[in-house]
Amino acid sequence: MTTTAAKPRFDKGLANTIASESAMSWIDGQEGVLEYVGIDIDALARNSTFEETVFLLWRRKLPTAGELEAFSALIRGEYALPEPMWDIIRGVPADAGPMHAVRTLVSALALFDPEADDPSLEANERKGIRLLARTPSLIANFDRHRNGRDFIKPDKSLDVASSFLAMLNGERPTETMAKALDVCLILHADHGFNASTFAGLVTISTLSDMYSAVTTAIGTLKGPLHGGANEAVMHLLDEIGGIDKVEPFIRAKLDRKEKVMGFGHRVYKAYDPRATYLKTFAKKLAEDTGNQGLYEMSNRIEQIMHEAVGSKGIHPNVDFYSATTYYSIGLAIDLFTPMFVMSRIAGWVGHCIEQLSDNRLIRPRCEYIGPHQQPYVPIADR
Ligand code: ACO
């Protein structure tokens, strides 16, 4: 008996393919809306904290005060790195790119987790908490290592953002800086089936493990068309060099048909709602930290882009104003994308657990366009 299946449709870049269902985040690309579990991203950025947002994404409801306290304690209880990890951080070349370092170090965490290959839901949730809790220590202490500074252990009395900044800088952050990073962590925590989430889901759908899935996702986030765009934006601002040079620079770039980093989005054809909030936030932070010039240049780029390509639905995305925000917090440019990792672990883990609750191997087809029925020519006759 032969079975006939409908011929799959070719969809370049999977732009019009719905690959799965999710109850975590909802995006309306035409109207510029993003909700986590039905709550508008703007309300979360204004009122929530990163820990509370992770609870919302993973448990699909806002926590009560008691639940939030218990959840935060769970995360802080897993801050400490397994002892051998300190030597592994020391072993990473000081001149390695931080995204290579974080991808390698997150992968190495699996070596010291006795539950690494336990596929149960409970173990996967515990691994998710560990990944979320330990990645900030890996990033901050890799930065200390490459700058020849002593390691600093995470501080359980602090939340994720503050503990990270305290390790990175060797002193407790001001409330403004801690809040700024916390807001960025909220805004980047989840975003549907973006490229890195999808890559992680392909890995988990083979019934591999959570560390492998998150490592896959980190490698995917690194690219400048995805999470790496925030660093590319900062390099762009550096390269332009001054507000009076913005217009000729950007117009020449567009004439050469080059992409301007931090603009455009596969789903948003209206203003990315994460950028709406970050823009106001970045302005205030830049004023407070003496980086107004940077903000003004960004704003000017936005104006030129609006005139030139706004009608095509090209607007700033989350990476555009996060660059100015991270710079104002005082982060090294090559730490911008690792900040995205710290946050997006929430989304990656949540989606992996969702996938496993109703798993089917993710395995699309490709359209073969090569020749058929070719003779095998012996090597001597070729
Ligand atoms: N600058 C100038 N023009 C752009 C830009 C941009 N940043 N982005 C898209 N366009 C133009 C394209 O040239 C194309 O024009 P055309 O129809 O005249 O040929 C049209 O808009 C459609 O662009 P595509 O590249 O086909 O859109 P796609 O959905 O494939 O790509 C992407 C989306 C990759 C984000 C793209 O907009 C881009 O490269 N942006 C710059 C990198 C960036 O900021 N990435 C971060 C995205 S957000 C995130 O990952 C967190």
Side-chain angles (χ1 to χ4, degrees):
M1 194 178 85
T2 53
T3 52
T4 48
K7 189 175 183 309
R9 192 174 42 91
F10 177 39
D11 178 17
K12 191 171 182 189
L14 303 182
N16 293 302
T17 297
I18 294 177
S20 191
E21 294 176 324
S22 172
M24 287 169 64
S25 54
W26 181 71
I27 304 164
D28 181 337
Q30 297 305 320
E31 296 297 324
V33 179
L34 169 63
E35 294 174 352
Y36 292 166
V37 196
I39 301 179
D40 194 83
I41 193 65
D42 195 70
L44 290 166
R46 285 176 202 282
N47 304 304
S48 188
T49 62
F50 180 56
E51 281 78 358
E52 183 181 67
T53 298
V54 178
F55 185 101
L56 171 70
L57 288 168
W58 289 2
R59 307 270 156 88
R60 315 284 195 273
K61 63 169 200 132
L62 284 172
T64 63
E67 284 170 334
L68 181 58
E69 199 182 319
F71 189 66
S72 299
L74 211 56
I75 296 172
R76 293 174 195 201
E78 294 287 359
Y79 271 176
L81 291 179
E83 272 313 304
M85 284 303 300
W86 297 104
D87 280 338
I88 296 183
I89 299 176
R90 266 185 213 103
V92 178
D95 61 355
M99 282 300 284
H100 288 295
V102 69
R103 188 193 59 239
T104 303
L105 294 168
V106 164
S107 177
L109 284 175
L111 306 174
F112 309 104
D113 190 334
E115 295 190 308
D117 285 317
D118 183 338
S120 67
L121 170 66
E122 297 72 22
N124 275 330
E125 285 184 349
R126 285 192 291 274
K127 284 179 272 186
I129 297 267
R130 284 177 203 132
L131 279 156
L132 193 85
R134 294 175 183 174
T135 302
S137 296
L138 299 177
I139 299 168
N141 281 295
F142 167 71
D143 188 70
R144 298 191 69 79
H145 157 68
R146 69 174 174 166
N147 288 305
R149 297 201 216 117
D150 291 338
F151 290 144
I152 295 183
K153 296 200 168 169
D155 182 343
K156 277 188 190 180
S157 72
L158 301 176
D159 64 17
V160 170
S162 301
S163 169
F164 168 76
L165 289 172
M167 286 184 279
L168 186 76
N169 299 323
E171 58 186 20
R172 277 190 177 221
T174 61
E175 226 172 274
T176 311
M177 293 304 164
K179 177 69 191 158
L181 183 57
D182 200 59
V183 164
C184 288
L185 296 182
I186 293 171
L187 293 174
H188 289 82
D190 189 40
H191 208 235
F193 265 32
N194 55 86
S196 56
T197 299
F198 184 65
L201 288 177
V202 171
T203 299
I204 208 76
S205 83
T206 69
L207 300 184
S208 181
D209 70 288
M210 191 62 83
Y211 288 99
S212 298
V214 170
T215 305
T216 304
I218 294 173
T220 308
L221 186 77
K222 176 174 171 287
L225 295 189
H226 189 13
N230 54 15
E231 294 181 18
V233 169
M234 203 59 227
H235 292 304
L236 176 81
L237 290 167
D238 254 3
E239 208 185 329
I240 297 176
I243 193 150
D244 48 322
K245 302 193 188 114
V246 167
E247 180 153 13
F249 190 99
I250 296 295
R251 293 209 185 270
K253 216 172 167 52
L254 292 174
D255 286 347
R256 292 192 301 271
K257 304 255 174 259
E258 288 172 15
K259 298 264 178 74
V260 177
M261 293 292 132
F263 283 82
H265 197 275
R266 172 57 64 78
V267 185
Y268 293 119
K269 300 305 164 198
Y271 212 99
D272 180 336
R274 302 166 298 175
T276 314
Y277 185 80
L278 261 185
K279 182 178 178 182
T280 322
F281 200 81
K283 180 172 193 287
K284 170 90 177 63
L285 198 64
E287 280 163 9
D288 291 352
T289 54
N291 289 305
Q292 294 100 318
L294 215 54
Y295 173 80
E296 281 157 18
M297 248 166 82
S298 308
N299 198 33
R300 184 79 189 115
I301 297 175
E302 188 186 331
Q303 283 168 4
I304 309 289
M305 287 295 282
H306 182 72
E307 288 164 22
V309 288
S311 58
K312 281 209 256 178
I314 311 290
H315 303 285
N317 58 50
V318 69
D319 282 327
F320 190 62
Y321 284 105
S322 62
T324 320
T325 307
Y326 289 142
Y327 191 82
S328 299
I329 295 174
L331 295 175
I333 297 174
D334 59 5
L335 291 183
F336 291 7
T337 316
M339 295 304 94
F340 204 151
V341 173
M342 244 163 77
S343 165
R344 188 54 63 83
I345 284 176
W348 295 330
V349 168
H351 282 282
C352 282
I353 288 176
E354 245 182 354
Q355 173 73 24
L356 289 174
S357 72
D358 185 21
N359 189 49
R360 188 168 190 214
L361 177 75
I362 299 173
R363 202 291 189 199
R365 311 267 193 93
C366 77
E367 186 82 50
Y368 176 69
I369 53 165
H372 291 283
Q373 303 291 316
Q374 297 296 297
Y376 178 81
V377 181
I379 195 160
D381 301 339
R382 286 175 214 163

